Amino acid sequence: MAKASKKQPKTDLVIGGAGFAGLALAIALRQGLGEAFSVTVVDPALGAAQSKDPRASAIAAAARRLFEAIGVWDAVADRAQPILDMVVTDSKLDDAVRPTFLTFGGEVEEGEPFAHMIENRHLIDVLVAKAKELGIDLRAGAVSGFEHGKNAIDVTLKDGATISARLLVGADGARSVIRETAGIASHGWNYDQSAIVTTVGHEREHNGRAAEHFLPAGPFAILPLTGKRVSIVWTETAREAERIVALPDAEFHAELEKRFGLHLGDLEVIGPRRAFPLGLFTAREFIGDRLALVGDAAHIIHPIAGQGLNMGLRDIAALAEAISDAARLGLDIGALDVLERYQRWRRFDTMTMGVATDGLNRLFSNSNDALRLARDVGLGLVERMPALKKVFIREAAGFTGDVPKLLRGEVL
């Protein structure tokens, strides 16, 4: 095995990927363990002056508490739209009436919305600024490989630079180079579905209401943004999504309006429209030799419950706690028992959420009349059981199970 040269830069932790998860992990650990704990974050996007990510994300209440704990939420709070209530409908595309079967109040606790919608670029920019303020080493580039040395992992970047670290975290997305280089298999399947994502302006106030319309091709979600704008996550078969995204503006608008309806008045597409293939994948292991996977590098789920991003933030909250506890005891943060604590903490929740979203997608993304009747009866029963709805809200907010400190709003 290659040995680190004396001139080779050393750090405690290298994080490949500067999305929400990678940046939040770096910030939380630097704040919790101080300047003596060194962190390097590597991502090609760090070469840009500002994030250009056009998407928006639902930040669950527990994830918002994490951002509050690391001191970034106040900087974006005025650009975050609280979800004040939510309605669920089930119909066919050409049905004249779209009945509401289920409604949820938007508060997980009094005065605390269960989720906020925010445009990704705003939160990413604030996270980058916080990381710079804390002196975290941010590098525009990518991890291309690594070798294991004595009590270290030597991480090679695409520009040829090598950094010796105690631990490498793969936060580099669904097509993780770090996961593939480690030889960790990912098991699952592609759905014959894609999610069309765009931003829509509208005439009337949305009043913080989110809607999920279950249609035979898949869910059509309307998620409120600040002002008279909403983010759309529109599921279609892969071939149909490709066709719709390629339509001229007027025809795309007609397809959108057919699904959206006119309850918010005139509509205008004001953001780029893109289609993302959907699937369910889970890494065989979340850890390796001085290696941990988080976020999409570890698991991909269907967006039907809006939990993909929040699962990644749960990962880093658990990993950050495991690392900080070990570091304070003078233990090796890359040791197998430290990483196994993280994997045990996150494995069951990940598998449970994957099974749940897969089941929901199969139950609702079809035109079977018998299944439609059964699910509508089920939705109606849940609507009449406030206690059960409260359980669902707490689950969506991220407050069930063994919740890490950061997700409770506590610093490390």
Side-chain angles (χ1 to χ4, degrees), residues 8-55:
Q8 188 178 47
K10 293 185 178 181
T11 188
D12 291 301
L13 175 65
V14 172
I15 301 171
F20 292 157
L23 289 168
L25 176 63
I27 292 166
L29 286 170
R30 188 57 176 267
Q31 289 176 332
L33 296 175
E35 292 184 3
F37 187 85
S38 54
V39 185
T40 296
V41 182
V42 184
D43 192 301
L46 290 170
Q50 292 182 311
S51 172
K52 294 183 172 73
D53 191 336
R55 296 170 297 173

Side-chain angles (χ1 to χ4, degrees), residues 125-400:
D125 287 345
V126 167
L127 286 165
V128 169
K130 188 68 172 181
K132 289 179 178 177
E133 176 190 318
L134 293 170
I136 292 169
D137 180 21
L138 302 178
R139 300 198 183 193
V143 174
S144 62
F146 48 86
E147 292 183 343
H148 293 90
K150 184 178 180 181
N151 298 322
I153 183 167
D154 300 332
V155 182
T156 303
L157 309 185
K158 274 194 173 180
D159 64 4
T162 304
I163 307 171
S164 181
R166 292 197 284 165
L167 177 64
L168 170 63
V169 172
D172 52 341
R175 298 179 179 178
S176 172
V177 171
I178 294 172
R179 184 189 65 230
E180 292 179 3
T181 303
I184 298 175
S186 182
H187 300 294
W189 50 83
N190 287 304
Y191 298 113
D192 183 26
Q193 293 175 313
S194 291
I196 301 170
V197 178
T198 192
T199 302
V200 174
H202 46 80
E203 183 181 7
R204 303 186 189 117
E205 298 288 349
H206 53 55
N207 296 315
R209 168 167 286 189
E212 185 131 39
H213 302 310
F214 286 113
L215 300 167
F220 182 92
I222 301 172
L223 304 165
L225 299 173
T226 53
K228 295 180 180 179
R229 303 177 305 142
V230 293
S231 176
I232 299 299
V233 182
W234 168 3
T235 305
E236 292 285 347
T237 63
R239 179 176 294 182
E240 181 68 359
E242 184 179 357
R243 181 192 73 82
I244 290 173
V245 167
L247 289 173
D249 291 348
E251 294 179 36
F252 181 84
H253 184 278
E255 293 285 355
L256 171 69
E257 192 174 87
K258 189 187 301 183
R259 293 159 178 81
F260 194 113
L262 298 172
H263 60 287
L264 293 180
D266 291 339
L267 307 177
E268 179 186 5
V269 177
I270 58 175
R273 57 201 200 214
R274 299 181 181 179
F276 298 90
L278 302 179
L280 174 67
F281 293 95
T282 304
R284 184 187 67 236
E285 302 287 344
F286 289 5
I287 61 173
D289 187 0
R290 296 194 174 274
L291 171 73
L293 301 176
V294 299
D296 288 354
H299 43 70
I300 296 288
I301 63 171
H302 197 284
I304 194 167
Q307 289 296 309
L309 165 69
N310 293 289
M311 285 178 62
L313 292 171
R314 286 178 221 168
D315 291 345
I316 67 99
L319 180 59
E321 194 165 331
I323 291 172
S324 63
D325 287 351
R328 289 190 177 109
L329 291 171
L331 303 176
D332 182 356
I333 65 167
L336 187 59
D337 57 345
V338 175
L339 301 181
E340 282 181 337
R341 179 189 174 195
Y342 159 66
Q343 178 165 255
R344 287 194 303 270
W345 205 338
R346 292 298 303 136
R347 192 77 176 173
F348 179 75
D349 176 61
T350 299
M351 296 301 294
T352 301
M353 186 61 70
V355 169
T357 55
D358 182 65
L360 285 171
N361 184 51
R362 294 178 188 279
L363 178 62
F364 283 95
S365 299
N366 62 74
S367 55
N368 185 295
D369 287 336
L371 278 178
R372 182 182 175 191
L373 176 61
R375 69 198 184 210
D376 290 350
V377 169
L379 290 173
L381 289 173
V382 174
E383 175 66 13
R384 290 164 175 77
M385 301 173 70
L388 184 57
K389 287 204 288 184
K390 188 173 182 179
V391 170
F392 288 157
I393 285 289
R394 291 193 64 80
E395 175 69 34
F399 293 140
T400 56

Side-chain angles (χ1 to χ4, degrees), residues 49-132:
Q50 292 182 311
S51 172
K52 294 183 172 73
D53 191 336
R55 296 170 297 173
S57 296
I59 305 297
R64 192 205 71 253
R65 290 186 184 184
L66 180 153
F67 289 128
E68 288 175 343
I70 64 174
V72 300
W73 187 254
D74 284 349
V76 294
D78 61 343
R79 287 169 283 181
Q81 170 62 50
I83 297 179
L84 301 179
D85 70 322
M86 183 171 183
V87 298
V88 178
T89 73
D90 186 10
S91 67
K92 294 182 179 178
L93 183 57
D94 296 322
D95 286 355
V97 178
R98 189 173 287 170
T100 297
F101 287 94
L102 189 57
T103 61
F104 289 102
E107 292 186 336
V108 67
E109 301 287 352
E110 187 173 353
E112 182 178 16
F114 82 90
H116 285 75
M117 286 297 301
I118 189 166
E119 289 156 282
N120 290 6
R121 67 182 186 275
H122 298 320
L123 190 48
I124 288 291
D125 287 345
V126 167
L127 286 165
V128 169
K130 188 68 172 181
K132 289 179 178 177

